[in-house]
Every structure is written in C-alpha cells, then in structure tokens.
Amino acid sequence: MKTLEDLKAKQKGIVKEVKDKELSNHLIRFGIGKGSKITCNEKIPLGPIIIKFNLQEIAIARNLAKMVVLK
Amino acid sequence: MKNIVLAGNPNVGKSVFFNYFGGVYADVSNFPGTTVEVAKTHYKNHQILDTPGIYNLGKENDEEKVAFDIIKKGDAILNIVDATHLERDIFLTLQLIELGKPLIVALNFMDDAKENGVDIDTKKLTKLLGVDIIETVATKNKGLDKINFKNFKKGHLVKLTKIDSCKSACNGCDLDMFRRNKVDNIINSTVKYNSGPKKVGEVFARLSTHPFAGVIILLLIMYLLYLFVGVFVAQTVVGVTEETIMQGYYEPFIINTLSNLIPQGSAIGTIVYGEFGLITMTITYLLGLLLPLVLGFYLVLSILEDSGYLPRLAALVDRLLNFIGLNGKAVIPLILGLGCVTCATITTRILKTKREKTIATSILQFVIPCSAQIGVIAALLAIAGKKYLIGYVLIIFIILVLLGTILNKFLPGKSSQLLLHLPRMRLPRINNVLKKTYTKTKCFMKEATVWFFIGAFIVGFMQVTGLLIRIQEWIKPFVVGFLQLPKEAAVAFIMGLVRRDFGAAGFYNMSLSPPQILVAMVTITLFVPCIASAMILFKERGWKTGSFIWLGTWIFAFLIGGIVSHLII
C-alpha cells in the first residue's frame, strides 16, 4: 500500500483514501479528497511533508502522511 | 444600522478590508491566527465586525467558536475569498450561504491569481452561487469601492432540504462530503489552473523549507537579526540616544532646571529627578534605551511576518519542536515572544490542545526574553565579551529544552500533529512593514510607559522611606551570598517584578564583572514575567496553571542563577 509518506520530492500521486477521520475532515476543507492530484514539494528529513495541491501548499506531519493512501 | 461581518479563511486579507472600512487596530500579517480578539468599526452607518479566519463554520477550535458567534449575530456577511485557491475558500462560502444570511463575496488577490495563470469565470460563479462577486486587490486598494452594501443577497440554497435532513441524520460529517462535491462541481466549471511563471517568492519559498538551504537561510536570518538589533541598535544607536542625548544633555538639563524649584535630596526631588527619578531615569530608559530597541526588533519581525516566512519556518522546525511536546506551529508564538511575551501568550490560542498551550505558555513566561530585554541583555553581554554571550545563549537554550522535555513527559494527554496551510511568500511591502512596525511599537511603548512610571515611583518611594536599603540588607545574604552579585542588584530585581526589561535596564549602570553580568542576565531572563504578561497568563491559562507557572519562575530563576554563579564565579 502506497501512502503520501512514500512519495519522494517532486513526485506526484492521486489520493485513494484518507484513513484518519479527523485528518480527512481537515483535508476535505482544503479540497483534498478521493481523486485529488497532489505533488510532494519537499520532504523535510524526519519532519513534515510539504504537498502542493493546485496553488495551495500544505505541511503535513509524517505520522499524518501515513494515513493518506495513494493510488 | 446593520451589523456587517467580515468572514473568510485565514490569511485572505480580512484585516486589510477592515482597515479600509476605517478600523484602525488590525494587525495585518501573512500568517494564520492573527485576529484572535474581536474588533469592530463604523462605516457609513453600519457596524463592521472582523472575525478570526476559519476553514469551517463550526465549533472545533477557539477561532471557529469566536467567528461563529459573531457571524450568527451579523445581519449580512462580506465573505472574503482568496482567488488563487477557490476550491478551499468556496467551501466556507457554501456554509455561509446555508446559514441563510445575505452575502457579498469579495474575490481577493485577483492580481496573484492572474499572475499564476488562474482563470476564473466570475459571471458563471455569480450565477451558480446567486450572490454578488466583486473582484478585488485589497492591498493595492483595487475594487473595494465597488462593494455596495445595498447588494447583499441570500445565495442559492441548493438542495437545502437534503442538507437539513442529513444534518439530523449523520451529525454533519458526511454533510462535508456533500458540500465538497458541490464545491468541486462549481470549481470544475468556473476555475481553470494554467501553469504560470515561477516567481521570486516561490523560489524563496522552496529554498526556505529545503533541508539544507532552509537551515542556512534560518541561520543567516538569525545572524542578521543579531547584527542589526544586538550590535547596531543595542550598541551604536543606544550609545547615541542613551548616553549622548539623554544622559549627556537631557538629564543634566532637567536636574539643573529643577534643582532651583525642588531642592536636591528632598523626598520629592529624589522621586522626581533622583537616581531612579520619574523624569530622569524613567524617561532615559524609555526613550533612550527601550524605544530604539523595540523599534529595531519590530522592524525585523514585521519584514519576516509580511513575507510569509514564519509558517515555512514552522514546517522546517516541526520535528525539533516535537521533542518538547509541540508541533511546528508553536514557533509562531515563540518568535512573537521575542517581540512581546504578553502578546505572544495570547497567540498561543492558535495551538490545538490545552497541553500544547500550557507548554508554549510556560516556555514563553519562563525563558523567552522580550525585545526590550534582549536589547539590554545584548548590550550588557557585548561589554562582557563574546564568551559570555555564547554562554548566555547556551544556558537559556538548555533550560528551554529541559523545561519543554519535563513538561512533555509529565503533562497528560497527547499533542497534535502538524497540518498547516503555507501562505504564498511575497516580497514584504514597505508600507505594510512600516505600518506594522509603528502599530506594534506604539502598543508596546504605551504599555511599557505606564508600568515604567509605576515601577520608578515604587522604587523612588522605597528609597525615600529607607525601605529600599532595608530590603537590600534583608535579602543581601541571598543576593550577595548565593547569587554573588552586588547588593544593589536587589533594586534591579524589584524593578524586574514590575517589568523584566526595566529590571534588566537596572543592571545597566551597575559596575559588574563579566561573570556577574552573565549571572544577572540569566536570572533576570528567567525571572517572573512583567505585570501585564502575568495578567494575560492568568486570564489565558486560569488561576491554577497560572499560579504554578508564576511561582515556578521565582524558584527557577534564582535556583539556576545561583547554580551558574557557583559554577563560574
């Protein structure tokens, strides 16, 4: 199972499922849900992952990124 | 008269609109969570209310609760949205339409949207939402005059019945899914993202979170800050303002003039223009020492804020803050604390859990020195030498980590994980930066002035009544024996009770050896927060946690001060 955590910098992915309900609720307000195309803009070593969605940039902690399953 | 509420996501420019309508307070920043207090103003017979930025109309956090309460009371809503990411902002717009209140939507940042290749079919969007949509560039004052308060309209309540029945059935959760689909449909038919050219801000944004370049940039910023505030302002500028102007011309002039009216050495004379005089020492500290330092610090802070650097910094240091039970977001109150601990304590509201708020507040109140204090400390440590400056930074840093680690270990519960929207970075606008520097400095000085006079009066009164000497003698074994400082240091601590920077300034004209300077600076940094800060502490954290932190600073400060003293003197 591939998650957001597995993306390397500059790689793209399509969201399949967000496993954590609270995280899913938050992401949905940014517009990110099933089928959203996201890009990993930066991976801070041991730290958060910065994703790009359209023109938005969002920093997500590693542990939360694990909950975002990709296609 | 109508109550018109400004509502929108964080960082969409609500405060700029608020300023346009005549509100004066609003602190415009490029990071979420600035508007934590409610502000209102009057414009053309209407009352305009500002709200904190929210992503969702609900009660999930403090900002949402405050915003929802104000929005519910409003007669009409001016919803400000960021044109560069409507898929995010229209979500709230839909919720506002569902409320059934008349609405106007301001499509802000139209210039950024165009530059980034975002095509928006405003006409179609107007038709789909059923409310007026005005294109604006608030920071350049474009389009705001087209907002007509007569045109507030209730939007299209699409399938309201379905929403109503869903609300009762599933507690609102799948309702979000329903709204999301609706928003996605609207966006798909009205917004097109074409690739735009890369801009300077974007390149810098990339670098600022780059694992290697990001750290270099951070170190560079800190070094420049030290050079500007710690060296240039604290030594060169203060040298002129405090020593040459205030102590060279102003004080002798005052003493000469007044000694004819009020005899020198009399009770009133001592209080007014004596050693701790109200119009000698107090004015010198305020204008010669504090003003240039605070001004210099807020100038740098305003540039950092306006550029949008702070949220990037939050992402960069997230992992480090995890060790002390915080996430990256906490870097915002901690950095603001370097400006004013009082204001920063209020900003801890942007943190999610009570546990994080307590940890951040404790660190602020225990270890973070405010701008005025840093200035005085930097100036004194510059006299002591580089070795002592590095020693000071190390000691304070170790204590910060220790305190955070202990609290993280013993406070119950779990801290939240970072999920932070990073605003676009932009070149700081001079106008904005100057305005912000002015507002913040004014706010700081206004508060400081009152407490400085109160503090000087108390110390002057104690001097005249002989109480000062008695207290000095009384705590002499402690100050001289344990901290190994001169007995006059007691005065600085009494001054520090009122304001820490006032206390630090009290050491300024004392003859201390370099190790003594270090002990004094460590102790006064850790010492009790100033009165204003303590009041906010009790208000935000409650009496129990508040008293614990407040009393803790006493014990902590003198204990660490004593240990350092015995290690180096």
Side-chain angles (χ1 to χ4, degrees), chain B residues 46-258:
Chain B
H46 298 299
Q47 179 160 264
I48 314 275
L49 300 144
D50 197 10
T51 59
I54 48 169
Y55 295 118
N56 171 53
L57 200 57
K59 292 181 171 174
E60 278 176 28
N61 52 45
D62 290 349
E63 283 111 51
E64 283 185 12
K65 280 178 210 154
V66 173
F68 204 175
D69 274 350
I70 304 167
I71 289 167
K72 268 193 291 194
K73 283 182 209 138
D75 300 307
I77 302 163
L78 178 57
N79 174 214
I80 299 145
V81 297
D82 186 330
T84 63
H85 34 62
L86 287 177
E87 74 275 5
R88 183 194 82 178
D89 293 43
I90 294 292
F91 191 87
L92 179 70
T93 307
L94 216 65
Q95 291 182 315
L96 293 172
I97 288 175
E98 282 167 31
L99 266 188
K101 302 239 183 203
L103 202 74
I104 289 179
V105 173
L107 205 53
N108 200 20
F109 291 114
M110 275 309 285
D111 53 342
D112 281 1
K114 273 182 194 138
E115 274 175 48
N116 283 295
V118 187
D119 275 338
I120 301 168
D121 188 342
T122 312
K123 257 191 198 151
K124 197 167 177 194
L125 193 60
T126 309
K127 229 171 91 191
L128 288 173
L129 294 175
V131 295
D132 265 25
I133 298 179
I134 313 290
E135 295 183 3
T136 61
V137 184
T139 46
K140 291 181 186 147
N141 218 345
K142 278 187 199 156
L144 283 95
D145 52 325
K146 296 199 182 72
I147 296 168
N148 188 342
F149 286 172
K150 289 192 184 103
N151 292 347
F152 278 111
K153 265 186 265 182
K154 292 185 181 184
H156 293 326
L157 295 164
V158 204
K159 294 179 188 166
L160 181 70
T161 45
K162 190 174 175 190
I163 288 173
D164 274 346
S165 58
C166 182
K167 228 175 214 163
S168 49
C170 65
N171 215 5
C173 45
D174 285 324
L175 190 63
D176 277 352
M177 273 318 233
F178 175 77
R179 285 190 192 112
R180 186 74 257 161
N181 286 334
K182 182 94 196 85
V183 175
D184 286 347
N185 286 337
I186 293 173
I187 297 299
N188 286 340
S189 65
T190 52
V191 182
K192 243 177 80 189
Y193 289 99
N194 307 305
S195 56
K198 265 215 166 124
K199 289 185 298 177
V200 187
E202 217 175 313
V203 176
F204 189 82
R206 273 289 66 64
L207 289 176
S208 67
T209 46
H210 186 273
F212 182 70
V215 177
I216 303 277
I217 289 177
L218 175 60
L219 291 176
L220 209 68
I221 289 174
M222 280 161 63
Y223 185 63
L224 287 176
L225 179 71
Y226 167 73
L227 279 188
F228 182 68
V229 181
V231 179
F232 175 68
V233 179
Q235 291 164 46
T236 316
V237 177
V238 168
V240 175
T241 52
E242 202 209 8
E243 283 163 35
T244 315
I245 301 176
M246 300 307 286
Q247 286 170 348
Y249 296 101
Y250 172 78
E251 285 191 23
F253 171 76
I254 290 290
I255 293 169
N256 276 336
T257 320
L258 282 183

Side-chain angles (χ1 to χ4, degrees), chain B residues 385-495:
Chain B
K386 273 226 165 62
K387 207 170 72 185
Y388 292 96
L389 174 71
I390 296 167
Y392 171 84
V393 174
L394 273 180
I395 291 169
I396 296 300
F397 182 75
I398 290 168
I399 291 166
L400 191 157
V401 174
L402 266 178
L403 179 71
T405 313
I406 292 169
L407 287 173
N408 184 29
K409 200 158 163 58
F410 293 105
L411 281 179
K414 253 176 110 177
S415 295
S416 69
Q417 308 254 10
L418 184 75
L419 180 67
L420 184 64
H421 200 275
L422 307 177
R424 285 184 301 285
M425 285 200 73
R426 60 186 186 210
L427 271 179
R429 279 174 302 248
I430 298 171
N431 237 341
N432 233 349
V433 169
L434 293 181
K435 213 165 154 189
K436 209 182 305 192
T437 310
Y438 171 77
T439 327
K440 288 191 171 183
T441 308
K442 196 175 127 190
C443 175
F444 190 103
M445 291 303 295
K446 230 164 107 184
E447 201 199 273
T449 304
V450 177
W451 291 111
F452 266 46
F453 277 111
I454 294 173
F457 181 77
I458 293 172
V459 177
F461 179 78
M462 287 165 89
Q463 193 189 19
V464 172
T465 52
L467 205 60
L468 201 60
I469 308 270
R470 241 184 290 164
I471 292 179
Q472 269 183 26
E473 287 303 317
W474 198 39
I475 56 176
K476 191 176 156 190
F478 183 72
V479 173
V480 180
F482 185 55
L483 293 176
Q484 306 185 63
L485 294 173
K487 67 177 198 298
E488 292 80 35
V491 181
F493 288 121
I494 295 169
M495 285 153 76

Side-chain angles (χ1 to χ4, degrees), chain B residues 6-22:
Chain B
L6 304 182
N9 285 183
N11 213 30
V12 292
K14 281 182 299 298
S15 297
V16 185
F17 278 77
F18 187 73
N19 282 340
Y20 172 81
F21 293 124

